Amino acid sequence: MNAKITLIPGDGIGPEIVREASAVLQKVADVFGHSFTYEEVLMGGCAIDACGVPLPEETLKTARKSDAVLLGAVGGNVGNSRWYDVAPNLRPEAGLLGIRKGLGLYANLRPAFLYPELSQACPLRKEKADAGFDMVIFRELTGGLYFGARRTVVREDGLREATDTLVYTEEEIRRIAVKAFDAARLRRKKVTSVDKANVLDSSRLWRAVVNEVAKDYPDVTVEHMLVDNCAMQLVLNPAQFDVLLTENMFGDILSDEASMITGSIGMLPSASLGEGRMGLYEPSHGSAPDIAGKDVANPLATILSAAMLLRYSLGLEAEAQAVENAVAQVLKEGYRTGDIMSEGKERVGCRSMGQLVRERIEK
Ligand code: IPM
Ligand code: MG
């Protein structure tokens, strides 16, 4: 098949990890006989430096014309005044929020499971790590606090006051819930919907709409959990979760927590999807400016994001599995980047890790 892929390396370690992951895509194309073309565009801090804005019009245009977008990471040290002493809508992260919204990618899938090979890196007690877990978070990505009106004013009494607004429409809740239930059907058939319905109106609407959607999925068990309890349950008994469905801000926080119990945030891919097949794929971690350019970053989250790209945007399931198998194989053979290093294993850099995965991709 022919596919057009937009590459957005971004900032920090972004260029290194996208280089390895796009080379993995090319290896898949060679082995399976596909033809992928790549177009590289700017977003984030590098776009601010080159064009004065974090999301140039050109970037959005190129992304819209492609079948899928592979993104590294954006942003830098908050001490970087060129990027951060400006209005929030001009900071590197605004590029990321802008492209998610601009492409209508409202469903953010973040799988979190424990590779048996990495159970030593799991910070939970041994018996919990040994029990394993395998969940996927469905985070709503284009609504809620991230996109509601905000303002900071100085009141008449001289005190500053800041407001952020949490808005959800019934439609926004329904479409992400449908995606979560569809996914649960293909997994262990359980949806845990997370909210704060004991306090928030938006959460009460969330719960009501999820219950309405659940009626169409009698084969899927639905359960509601308050977000504070969920934060606790994730470390107490992660094996209970299959599909975890939640709004934007709760999903941001819970997905970092879920990723950490897998041993390293350097392992976790993500997919952001909308109505069609086009999607944006990025590691769940950030740009790690402190280790940028040193060839020590873990490219596996980005490589696994490329596997999700093959699966969801291109419909190439066998190819996606070939990449995932290659990653599992490399781990089994004992190769580790610094973040997942443990005793007796062989430490490798970003480039070698990418190379090792590519060598193990087969039809
Ligand atoms: C994430 C990140 C972003 C978010 C930031 C960089 C805006 O934390 O993708 O989880 O909050 O969505
Ligand atoms: Mg986050």
Side-chain angles (χ1 to χ4, degrees):
M1 87 176 289
N2 296 328
K4 264 197 221 154
I5 299 169
T6 299
L7 301 177
I8 308 184
D11 308 315
I13 58 171
E16 298 162 64
I17 55 182
V18 166
R19 188 182 54 223
E20 296 314 316
S22 56
V24 164
L25 286 174
Q26 190 47 43
K27 175 73 191 222
V28 166
D30 295 342
V31 170
F32 287 82
H34 301 301
S35 165
F36 298 161
T37 53
Y38 311 92
E39 194 163 345
E40 200 172 301
V41 290
L42 297 174
M43 194 176 93
C46 58
I48 296 175
D49 289 344
C51 328
V53 289
L55 181 61
E57 198 45 49
E58 177 65 24
T59 296
L60 209 47
K61 247 173 66 190
T62 305
R64 282 206 178 99
K65 281 188 306 199
S66 61
D67 298 295
V69 181
L70 182 68
L71 167 72
V74 296
N77 291 316
V78 178
N80 179 344
S81 55
R82 220 169 56 247
W83 296 354
Y84 288 98
D85 287 350
V86 296
N89 64 337
L90 289 175
R91 290 181 193 148
E93 286 76 4
L96 184 56
L97 300 184
I99 197 168
R100 288 171 176 170
K101 190 79 167 177
L103 297 176
L105 306 174
Y106 59 83
N108 184 219
L109 280 60
R110 297 186 167 183
F113 60 90
L114 194 59
Y115 280 89
E117 291 83 8
L118 296 184
S119 63
Q120 278 165 289
C122 171
L124 300 180
R125 273 211 306 271
K126 187 173 177 319
E127 64 266 25
K128 294 216 168 109
D130 289 346
F133 54 87
D134 178 3
M135 71 186 93
V136 55
I137 299 179
F138 273 68
R139 168 189 177 195
E140 199 293 325
L141 201 59
T142 52
L145 279 173
Y146 278 65
F147 292 93
R150 58 181 110 255
R151 57 168 203 164
T152 305
V153 295
V154 180
R155 297 191 322 201
E156 266 171 25
D157 60 7
L159 293 177
R160 285 165 300 170
E161 181 182 290
T163 312
D164 297 284
T165 324
L166 204 180
V167 188
Y168 268 110
T169 66
E170 173 169 359
E171 217 21 65
E172 286 172 318
I173 301 168
R174 184 165 289 113
R175 62 187 185 178
I176 177 88
V178 164
K179 283 214 189 283
F181 278 88
D182 282 343
R185 240 182 199 161
L186 302 174
R187 295 174 48 99
R188 301 195 310 278
K189 300 192 169 44
K190 178 175 173 191
V191 171
T192 305
S193 175
V194 176
D195 61 38
K196 190 72 185 174
N198 52 349
V199 178
L200 304 175
D201 257 35
S202 54
S203 282
R204 285 188 276 270
L205 180 63
W206 184 277
R207 203 174 267 220
V209 174
V210 168
N211 280 333
E212 286 162 26
V213 172
K215 289 199 184 109
D216 295 332
Y217 298 81
D219 51 325
V220 176
T221 311
V222 62
E223 159 188 279
H224 299 278
M225 194 178 273
L226 296 173
V227 62
D228 46 350
N229 184 27
C230 182
M232 182 179 85
Q233 296 294 333
L234 271 172
V235 288
L236 189 68
N237 176 16
Q240 71 183 288
F241 296 109
D242 178 18
V243 173
L244 205 155
L245 163 65
T246 193
E247 63 93 49
N248 205 345
M249 180 75 145
F250 296 159
D252 178 44
I253 299 167
L254 295 176
S255 63
D256 266 31
E257 189 186 355
S259 72
M260 201 53 227
I261 57 173
T262 68
S264 169
I265 194 165
M267 292 298 300
L268 288 198
S270 82
S272 302
L273 306 169
E275 280 320 327
R277 271 208 152 174
M278 121 82 70
L280 179 141
Y281 302 84
E282 55 173 320
S284 288
H285 61 72
S287 62
D290 49 317
I291 57 163
K294 297 185 178 154
D295 193 36
V296 295
N298 183 350
L300 292 179
T302 318
I303 289 172
L304 292 167
S305 301
M308 293 183 92
L309 181 158
L310 292 165
R311 173 171 295 126
Y312 294 112
S313 282
L314 308 187
L316 301 174
E317 178 60 32
E319 286 81 342
Q321 279 177 23
V323 173
E324 289 162 353
N325 291 343
V327 169
Q329 184 60 31
V330 166
L331 293 174
K332 208 188 250 155
E333 290 172 32
Y335 297 104
R336 301 283 188 274
T337 43
D339 58 317
I340 49 175
M341 187 64 193
S342 57
E343 223 187 295
K345 304 296 178 194
E346 183 170 346
R347 185 187 289 261
V348 295
C350 182
R351 270 181 192 275
S352 312
M353 188 54 112
Q355 182 61 32
L356 285 161
V357 171
R358 287 193 289 280
E359 286 164 4
R360 282 154 189 76
I361 289 175
E362 49 191 42
K363 213 167 169 167

